[in-house]
C-alpha cells in the first residue's frame, strides 16, 4: 500500500527568474531539485538549457496553484520546468544545435523536458480529450468488446494492467499500428500485429490526427537529440523508419471511486517505458511523478524489470499539469543506444481527488529494428556496452513487456497457444539494424 505521507511541496525552480539567475542555480551547487550536477556533466550544456528557457511569469502564484494539484498521500518535490519551443523544421542550424544540447542537458539533469504545444497541438489535444471522455463514459460492456486477439490495441479496464505484479487503477485505450487482417505480417501471425479495435469513428479520427502530429514532433526531437549528442544525422532516426509508434489514452478514477481491484492510491506503478521517447499531454488534475537520472539507481529494464523500482522511496519529483505543454521523457532504447548517457526515466502516476485524463504517445523504433549502442556521444559517454553487443531486437522487447503487463489478456494467450513468440528470432523479423552509426 502507498504509505500516507504528509504533503511536502517546496517549490523549486528557475522559471520566471532571469537567465543569469537561473544559470547560477544550475551551475553552482544544488541544481533544479536541490541536487548537484551529475559527474561528467557538461556545464555548458546546462547553461544552454537555462538560456533556452522561455520566460513565463509571475512565478509565485502559478507555482502555488500548480503545487496544490499534487495527489494526496504522496511526498515529492514539485518541478518547475523550463518550456522549450521547437522549430518548424530541424535543419542543423546553430540554433538547432544549441536547442539539441539544451534538451540533452535537461534530460540528463531532470529526466523530463517540457515543450510548448503549437496552436494546432492545443486543438488536437482538446479534440482527443473530448473523444477520450466520450469513450470512457460508455458502459463497461461497450468498452470491453474493444479488444483484439492478435494486437494489444484496445481497451484495458481499471485493475487489469499489472505493474510489478500488482494491479493498476488506470483505464486505458491502447493504439498500436492499425493493420488489416489482409496485411502480410498479420497473415504470417507476427506477434502483436493486428487491427486496432476502435469503438467508433468519433474515437478513431481525432486520435489518428493527434498521433500523426506527435509522430512529426517525435522525429524532430530525435533530430535535435542527434545534434545535442553530436552523433551523425540518422544515428537515431534510422531506427524509426516504419516505427512501432503507439499511444495510450488514459483515464484515472478519483481515488475514492475505484473498483477495489488495484493498489490503493496508485494510478500506475513505477516503471520505465520501452522505446525512445514518450510525449505526453495531461489535463489540469495532476498525478505524474518522475525520478531524476541517478547513477546510484542503475537499472536496465531490458535485462531485469525496472517495474516497481523505488515506488515507495523518497526522491520523486511531481510534474504538475502546466497548460499548453507536452512533456517528453526517455525510454529504454534511448538508454541502450546511448550507453546510459541518457537514461530511461522512471515514473509513476498517483490517483487524485478528481478523475484525470492523459495521453501518452510512444515514439519507437521499428518492430524489426535491432539496435546497437552508438559509438560515441560527446560529453563523455560511458563505455561498457559496445559494438560487439548482439544488440536488442525492439519487437522482442516490446512483446516481452506487453506479455508481462497483460498476462491474462486474450492476445497473450493466443500468442502462446500459437507459438508466435518463436517468430521473433527469425531473420524476417530483424531486417532493420546492422552496424551502429557513429
Ligand atoms: O498518465 C501519465 O501522465 C503517464 C502515463 C504513463 O506513464 C503510461 O501510460 O505509461
Ligand atoms: Fe509510462
Amino acid at each position: 500500500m502507498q504509505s500516507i505521507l504528509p504533503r511536502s511541496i517546496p517549490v523549486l525552480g528557475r522559471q520566471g527568474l532571469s537567465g543569469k539567475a537561473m544559470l547560477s542555480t544550475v551551475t553552482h551547487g544544488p541544481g533544479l531539485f536541490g541536487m548537484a550536477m551529475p559527474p561528467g556533466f557538461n556545464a555548458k550544456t546546462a547553461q544552454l538549457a537555462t538560456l533556452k528557457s522561455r520566460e513565463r511569469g509571475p512565478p509565485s502564484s502559478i507555482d502555488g496553484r500548480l503545487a496544490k494539484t499534487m495527489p494526496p498521500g504522496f511526498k515529492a518535490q514539485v518541478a518547475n520546468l523550463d518550456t522549450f519551443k521547437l522549430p518548424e523544421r530541424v535543419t542543423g542550424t546553430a540554433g538547432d544545435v544549441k536547442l539539441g544540447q539544451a534538451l540533452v542537458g535537461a534530460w540528463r539533469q531532470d529526466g523530463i523536458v517540457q515543450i510548448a504545444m503549437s496552436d494546432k497541438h492545443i486543438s488536437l489535444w482538446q479534440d482527443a480529450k473530448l473523444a477520450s471522455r466520450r469513450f470512457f463514459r460508455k458502459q463497461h460492456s461497450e468498452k470491453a468488446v474493444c479488444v483484439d486477439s492478435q494486437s494489444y490495441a484496445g481497451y484495458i479496464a481499471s485493475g487489469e494492467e499489472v505493474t510489478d505484479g500488482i494491479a493498476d487503477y488506470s483505464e486505458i485505450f491502447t493504439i498500436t499500428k492499425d493493420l488489416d487482417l489482409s496485411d502480410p505480417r498479420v497473415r504470417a501471425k507476427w506477434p502483436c500485429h493486428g487491427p486496432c479495435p476502435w469503438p467508433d469513428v468519433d474515437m478513431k479520427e481525432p486520435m489518428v490526427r493527434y498521433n500523426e502530429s506527435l509522430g512529426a514532433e517525435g522525429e524532430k526531437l530525435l533530430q535535435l537529440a542527434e545534434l545535442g549528442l553530436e552523433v551523425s544525422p540518422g544515428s537515431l532516426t534510422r531506427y524509426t523508419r516504419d516505427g512501432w509508434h503507439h499511444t495510450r489514452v488514459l483515464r484515472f478514477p478519483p481515488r475514492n471511486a475505484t473498483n477495489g481491484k488495484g493498489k490503493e492510491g496508485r494510478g500506475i506503478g513505477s516503471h520505465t517505458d520501452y522505446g525512445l521517447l514518450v510525449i505526453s499531454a495531461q489535463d489540469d488534475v495532476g498525478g505524474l511523478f518522475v525520478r531524476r537520472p541517478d547513477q546510484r539507481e542503475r537499472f536496465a529494464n531490458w535485462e531485469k524489470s525496472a517495474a516497481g523500482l523505488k515506488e515507495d522511496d523518497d526522491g520523486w519529483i511531481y510534474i504538475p499539469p502546466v497548460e499548453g505543454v507536452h512533456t517528453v521523457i526517455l525510454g529504454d532504447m534511448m538508454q541502450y543506444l546511448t550507453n546510459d548517457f541518457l537514461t530511461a526515466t522512471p515514473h509513476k502516476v498517483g490517483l487524485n481527488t478528481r478523475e484525470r485524463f492523459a495521453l501518452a504517445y510512444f515514439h519507437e523504433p521499428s518492430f524489426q529494428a535491432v539496435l546497437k549502442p552508438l559509438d560515441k556521444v560527446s560529453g563523455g559517454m560511458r563505455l561498457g556496452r559496445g559494438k560487439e553487443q548482439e544488440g536488442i531486437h525492439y519487437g522482442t522487447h516490446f512483446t516481452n513487456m506487453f506479455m508481462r503487463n497483460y498476462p491474462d489478456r486474450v492476445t497473450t494467450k493466443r500468442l502462446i497457444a500459437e507459438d508466435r513468440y518463436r517468430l521473433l528470432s527469425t531473420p524476417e523479423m530483424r531486417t532493420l539494424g546492422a552496424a551502429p552509426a557513429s
Side-chain angles (χ1 to χ4, degrees):
M1 210 174 87
Q2 177 72 48
S3 56
I4 306 299
L5 295 161
R7 267 193 198 202
S8 157
I9 44 176
V11 178
L12 301 156
R14 45 201 167 172
Q15 182 180 298
L17 299 174
S18 75
K20 209 159 176 214
M22 290 188 280
L23 197 84
S24 63
T25 310
V26 175
T27 50
H28 304 297
L32 174 60
F33 302 111
M35 289 182 69
M37 257 193 292
F41 187 66
N42 180 347
K44 201 161 156 227
T45 309
Q47 288 175 17
L48 287 166
T50 58
L51 290 171
K52 266 286 165 190
S53 69
R54 206 181 56 164
E55 301 238 343
R56 280 169 302 170
S60 52
S61 60
I62 295 174
D63 293 348
R65 183 175 56 75
L66 287 178
K68 286 206 184 84
T69 61
M70 185 153 76
F74 288 83
K75 185 185 168 204
Q77 290 186 311
V78 181
N80 202 353
L81 303 170
D82 291 335
T83 301
F84 296 94
K85 195 169 176 334
L86 303 194
E88 279 292 309
R89 285 192 322 122
V90 177
T91 52
T93 61
D96 289 346
V97 173
K98 275 188 183 168
L99 178 55
Q101 289 173 340
L103 288 166
V104 167
W107 275 317
R108 278 177 57 84
Q109 181 172 281
D110 303 332
I112 185 163
V113 303
Q114 243 170 217
I115 56 175
M117 287 181 175
S118 64
D119 290 346
K120 185 175 153 219
H121 287 140
I122 290 172
S123 117
L124 289 169
W125 167 228
Q126 289 304 336
D127 292 350
K129 215 167 20 177
L130 276 177
S132 164
R133 278 181 187 277
R134 209 185 300 123
F135 171 71
F136 287 118
R137 271 204 204 106
K138 287 179 192 280
Q139 293 291 323
H140 176 77
S141 56
E142 276 183 80
K143 295 185 278 190
V145 292
C146 298
V147 165
D148 185 79
S149 66
Q150 306 196 78
S151 78
Y152 281 98
Y155 183 60
I156 296 145
S158 180
E160 187 182 339
E161 179 165 282
V162 174
T163 300
D164 192 29
I166 307 169
D168 296 328
Y169 274 121
S170 46
E171 193 183 358
I172 306 165
F173 189 89
T174 302
I175 303 163
T176 56
K177 209 180 272 296
D178 191 1
L179 301 172
D180 198 75
L181 293 178
S182 61
D183 185 284
R185 294 162 291 184
V186 181
R187 291 170 65 118
K189 296 184 183 290
W190 284 26
C192 313
H193 286 63
C196 178
W198 297 105
D200 48 41
V201 72
D202 293 343
M203 179 76 164
K204 180 176 175 177
E205 281 190 346
M207 294 304 170
V208 168
R209 277 201 305 272
Y210 193 24
N211 283 344
E212 277 172 8
S213 177
L214 291 173
E217 202 76 344
E219 284 301 289
K220 247 193 258 181
L221 283 161
L222 288 184
Q223 289 170 330
L224 289 164
E226 286 169 354
L227 293 171
L229 293 167
E230 290 176 34
V231 294
S232 49
S235 296
L236 301 172
T237 51
R238 67 202 285 261
Y239 290 115
T240 55
R241 211 172 342 117
D242 192 27
W244 189 253
H245 310 314
H246 53 280
T247 298
R248 280 155 53 100
V249 184
L250 300 132
R251 173 190 175 267
F252 298 88
R255 57 187 290 121
N256 64 356
T258 60
N259 57 14
K261 292 182 184 165
K263 179 172 167 177
E264 194 183 332
R266 183 213 253 195
I268 302 177
S270 160
H271 66 284
T272 61
D273 289 315
Y274 320 132
L276 297 168
L277 303 170
V278 185
I279 308 177
S280 301
Q282 56 175 329
D283 69 9
D284 62 348
V285 174
L288 177 64
F289 297 83
V290 305
R291 288 185 89 75
R292 307 177 71 208
D294 183 343
Q295 288 191 329
R296 291 163 302 179
E297 294 181 5
R298 164 94 177 91
F299 58 89
N301 191 38
W302 58 93
E303 285 168 359
K304 181 174 175 291
S305 173
L309 187 99
K310 309 268 175 189
E311 177 152 332
D312 296 324
D313 288 22
D314 287 344
W316 287 95
I317 310 296
Y318 174 57
I319 307 299
V322 173
E323 215 182 317
V325 302
H326 287 127
T327 54
V328 188
I329 60 171
L330 306 176
D332 298 336
M333 293 303 102
M334 188 66 105
Q335 178 178 337
Y336 180 75
L337 282 174
T338 64
N339 266 320
D340 295 355
F341 188 77
L342 295 172
T343 48
T345 312
H347 57 290
K348 64 178 181 178
V349 183
L351 297 186
N352 216 319
T353 50
R354 290 189 288 145
E355 75 176 335
R356 170 175 181 265
F357 291 89
L359 183 144
Y361 165 83
F362 302 81
H363 199 71
E364 307 292 271
S366 159
F367 198 89
Q368 286 123 283
V370 178
L371 295 93
K372 298 260 176 113
L374 298 169
D375 276 349
K376 77 164 180 62
V377 170
S378 76
M381 188 171 80
R382 268 186 289 142
L383 297 173
R385 296 187 294 267
K387 260 190 190 161
E388 71 285 358
Q389 287 265 320
E390 202 179 296
I392 291 183
H393 176 234
Y394 174 73
T396 301
H397 182 51
F398 177 90
T399 307
N400 288 341
M401 298 297 104
F402 272 63
M403 288 176 77
R404 180 174 86 193
N405 293 348
Y406 308 109
D408 298 326
R409 198 169 177 87
V410 61
T411 320
T412 303
K413 290 185 175 151
R414 183 165 175 189
L415 207 155
I416 294 167
E418 294 179 355
D419 198 18
R420 292 176 173 222
Y421 195 86
R422 188 184 40 84
L423 294 176
L424 291 166
S425 48
T426 59
E428 304 85 76
M429 205 75 78
R430 295 165 175 255
T431 49
L432 182 69
S438 56

